[in-house]
Amino acid sequence: MPHIPSAPLLLGNRPGSFPHSVLAERHPAIIQQVREAFPYEPAQHRALDELLANCTEGAIEPLPADAHDRDHWETWGLREHTGHSWFDVPWLWSESWFYRRLLQAVGFFGPGSWQGIDPFRPFKLAELDSAETDQELAALDDLADRPAAEQAQALLHGSLWGNRADLGFRLSAEGARAADAAPGLVADDSDRLWSLLDSADGGTLCLVADNAGRELVPDLLLVAHLLGTGRIGQAVLHVKPYPYYVSDATTADVVDALRRLTGAGGAAAAYGRRLWSALADGRLTLRAHPFSSAPLPYEEMPGDLRAEFASATLTIVKGDLNYRRLVGDRLWAPTTPFADVTAYFPGPVAALRTLKSDVITGLDAPTEAALVAAEGRRWRTSGTHALIQVRDSGKG
């Protein structure tokens, strides 16, 4: 491991900071949205009220003794954080804990009649069924006549920028305005990404998915293209084991996206049928590892997950949250080498991410200076910039 200068963990206890705004403003807004989206019963409304008070003014509490995942959370730091303010523990941990507690409040984990009901499903389906999704799928018909290299690059960028559809990010007016701003790549290792895939010789791609809906669709299209062109022989799509961060993809969301594709007609339906067949014959596999929803960086991944990533030709990590987990949720100097902070990763890894939090690595000094001069700190969180970063064989 290279020597990496220390960087402070992101906490939510500084008023005016982006992490503080998520804990103090976004989480209460999410509770209200979820409350209004379902005809929940009195017990659930009481539990949501208690969660609202606890996450904004209270302290972290232990899980019930019979919670199915209590052992996981105690391994992940619950004992150490119990009794502390949500704002004083690592931001990544606090955010993840919020979604675990929200699911508990609405009865997702059961037992009971609300067991397994995704509280974010109405938002996901509304986005998936939107006119914007219709337009994006119709554009695939024109893409089919383009040269193969152009198709590949267009689908890669579709997967990259599809992340801007992140529902949690759009809960605030700031996020909604940023979605209309001009994009810009702050780092682009796409040539190295294609070089790794071209040398794969029918190898395996792991794709760690982020959001459902209009982000998951282009992720699936990219996988379908890579399988169809023979650049990879097998794909493993990592999704969340339960609803998480408002819009993070689960197995049910994959099924919804595939049905959307196959029902769209034209080139979109062809992509959908290819993926449907790939699932049936094992060329595409879904994984929902418990660690996918852990409040920890990937540096602390368990051995079985490490072995899976080690065997892949390439692992693509999608989205802002997964980037934070990949490099560590710290306030790095933006010029900290991406290869250094990912040196622990057991195989070649690529990050596709639009910037929606303060965490950033791998920039060159002139790029950072230009961004700061133009936008101050807002470039880190606005979602108007993106990156493609690759670390292969430990080289940066």
Side-chain angles (χ1 to χ4, degrees):
M1 288 284 290
H3 173 70
I4 306 171
S6 61
L9 278 170
L10 283 168
L11 306 178
N13 57 7
R14 183 168 63 84
S17 69
F18 186 70
H20 187 276
S21 72
V22 170
L23 299 180
E25 300 168 20
R26 184 183 295 179
H27 286 176
I30 290 170
I31 291 173
Q32 187 61 29
Q33 270 210 342
V34 167
R35 186 195 300 272
E36 294 173 354
F38 285 92
Y40 287 129
E41 299 171 30
Q44 291 157 307
H45 284 286
R46 287 194 297 272
L48 289 171
D49 289 339
E50 291 169 3
L51 175 59
L52 178 60
N54 184 245
C55 74
T56 54
E57 301 173 2
I60 292 165
E61 300 171 349
L63 285 172
D66 60 350
H68 73 285
D69 55 353
R70 183 175 177 176
D71 289 347
H72 278 314
W73 278 96
E74 290 187 347
T75 299
W76 295 339
L78 179 57
R79 286 179 176 173
E80 294 89 329
H81 297 323
T82 294
H84 293 275
S85 164
W86 293 58
F87 293 83
D88 292 335
V89 303
W91 181 42
L92 175 64
W93 200 96
S94 189
E95 277 196 290
S96 299
W97 181 240
F98 170 78
Y99 289 99
R100 170 58 183 82
R101 287 291 312 277
L102 180 63
L103 293 183
Q104 179 181 326
V106 297
F108 179 87
F109 296 115
S113 55
W114 291 89
Q115 185 174 12
I117 301 298
D118 182 348
F120 311 124
R121 183 169 171 80
F123 318 130
K124 295 174 178 178
L125 290 180
E127 183 178 277
L128 196 59
D129 294 337
S130 68
E132 290 84 357
T133 304
D134 288 334
Q135 295 166 4
E136 290 161 4
L137 295 182
L140 293 171
D141 294 334
D142 295 331
L143 187 63
D145 297 328
R146 304 293 178 88
E150 191 174 331
Q151 290 185 41
Q153 193 71 355
L155 292 170
L156 177 66
H157 279 262
S159 178
L160 171 66
W161 287 105
N163 180 298
R164 295 170 76 184
D166 177 345
L167 293 166
F169 180 68
R170 288 169 46 199
L171 283 176
S172 66
E174 182 71 15
R177 287 196 299 272
D180 295 326
L185 277 173
V186 299
D188 186 4
D189 292 340
S190 54
D191 287 346
R192 293 171 67 185
L193 184 149
W194 291 123
S195 178
L196 277 169
L197 290 173
D198 286 339
S199 63
D201 193 26
T204 297
L205 170 72
C206 284
L207 195 153
V208 181
D210 191 38
N211 296 312
R214 286 174 59 206
E215 180 184 352
L216 183 59
V217 167
D219 289 346
L220 291 171
L221 295 173
L222 178 62
V223 169
H225 175 80
L226 295 174
L227 286 170
T229 57
R231 264 181 155 139
I232 59 172
Q234 186 170 21
V236 181
L237 183 66
H238 286 258
V239 296
K240 300 299 189 293
Y242 53 75
Y244 191 60
Y245 276 71
V246 180
S247 51
D248 279 31
T250 65
T251 298
D253 298 318
V254 174
V255 174
D256 286 338
L258 288 178
R259 285 177 173 153
R260 183 71 165 91
L261 284 171
T262 55
Y271 279 110
R273 289 192 295 270
R274 182 182 302 162
L275 291 164
W276 201 284
S277 296
L279 276 167
D281 63 26
R283 288 176 296 128
L284 173 59
T285 306
L286 302 182
R287 294 277 192 274
H289 197 287
F291 193 78
S292 293
S293 295
L296 302 173
Y298 270 101
E299 190 168 10
E300 299 182 41
M301 74 180 89
D304 61 334
L305 195 56
R306 177 175 293 273
E308 184 165 334
F309 290 146
S311 66
T313 301
L314 175 66
T315 297
I316 295 178
V317 174
K318 278 295 310 294
D320 194 79
L321 170 61
N322 286 326
Y323 186 86
R324 291 164 55 193
R325 297 187 68 198
L326 177 66
V327 304
D329 202 35
R330 296 175 176 271
L331 195 59
W332 298 109
T335 54
T336 304
F338 176 74
D340 287 358
V341 294
T342 58
Y344 72 89
F345 203 84
V349 64
L352 270 60
R353 174 224 184 182
T354 54
L355 278 58
K356 300 176 186 174
S357 69
D358 290 306
V359 179
I360 182 70
T361 68
L363 299 194
D364 58 50
T367 298
E368 180 196 2
L371 288 164
V372 171
E375 303 179 35
R377 289 187 63 87
R378 187 174 178 275
W379 64 272
R380 293 172 177 253
T381 59
S382 66
T384 61
H385 299 282
L387 57 79
I388 300 172
Q389 292 176 324
V390 176
R391 195 227 72 202
D392 53 315
S393 303
K395 298 180 294 184

